[in-house]
Amino acid sequence: MTNNELLKELLNQEKELQFETFSMETAHLIGLSIMNTGKTANLPITIDITRHGQQLFHVALEGSSHDNDCWIKRKSNLVNRVSHSSYYMSILLSIKGKTIEESLLLKESDYAPHGGSFPIIIKDTGVIGTITVSGLASADDHKLVVDAIRDFLSK
């Protein structure tokens, strides 16, 4: 798959994976789903779900570190700023051949264009928060989040 095709797929995910509402219970269910997947596969990840600036779910699994918390903050800062997944921004910048600082005048020390943070999108409203995973490669962090959202919405 080319980067342009991947970019279209990532935009389609954002159109598809939208919520009618997003409660604390929703955050807990999605967070626990990602946590159980991580535990089963012994993944060294940290998971964070934040809505309107309030952290609703946060857990660090064995093998993760404080660095993962720093990555989560930077990835979610980016999603909250641009209203797209951090993986979408990673691919977009790659296509442009630019850094986040060159393209958006954002410091990479504060904004991380790497996969793993996905916007919590309320239909007909917009982005209200983020679901973020850190600890794996960009595509794998992103996939964990997308799979958990897709599974939740299918029920």
Side-chain angles (χ1 to χ4, degrees):
M1 175 179 304
T2 68
N3 276 348
N4 284 322
E5 291 169 335
L6 178 56
L7 202 62
K8 286 178 188 172
E9 180 181 316
L10 295 170
L11 278 178
N12 286 336
Q13 288 174 354
E14 292 175 11
K15 289 176 187 167
E16 170 199 354
L17 302 175
Q18 297 187 12
F19 297 86
E20 295 292 334
T21 63
F22 194 90
S23 66
M24 289 183 176
E25 180 69 13
T26 302
H28 296 162
L29 291 170
I30 292 172
L32 289 172
S33 171
I34 298 169
M35 183 186 79
N36 289 333
T37 298
K39 280 183 156 184
T40 300
N42 288 323
L43 302 177
I45 59 173
T46 300
I47 306 151
D48 181 87
I49 302 177
T50 300
R51 179 188 66 185
H52 296 301
Q54 181 184 20
Q55 189 174 60
L56 304 180
F57 186 92
H58 189 91
V59 68
L61 298 184
E62 203 61 49
S64 64
S65 71
H66 172 69
D67 284 346
N68 298 112
D69 292 315
C70 297
W71 277 99
I72 282 172
K73 181 70 175 152
R74 292 169 54 226
K75 291 177 187 183
S76 62
N77 281 347
L78 182 61
V79 173
N80 286 315
R81 180 70 178 257
V82 301
S83 298
H84 287 290
S85 76
S86 57
Y87 195 39
Y88 171 87
M89 291 306 299
S90 172
I91 301 304
L92 179 64
L93 291 170
S94 176
I95 290 169
K96 289 182 173 185
K98 293 189 174 199
T99 67
I100 188 100
E101 292 186 30
E102 293 166 335
S103 185
L104 299 174
L105 302 176
L106 299 175
K107 294 166 79 174
E108 192 154 354
S109 59
D110 295 324
Y111 299 88
H114 299 276
S117 190
F118 197 88
I120 299 169
I121 304 169
I122 302 298
K123 289 179 184 172
D124 301 320
T125 299
V127 176
I128 63 158
T130 57
I131 301 172
T132 310
V133 169
S134 175
L136 307 174
S138 283
D140 296 330
D141 280 347
H142 179 83
K143 186 175 181 340
L144 273 175
V145 175
V146 166
D147 287 350
I149 295 171
R150 187 172 279 128
D151 182 59
F152 177 84
L153 291 173
S154 72
K155 293 180 180 173

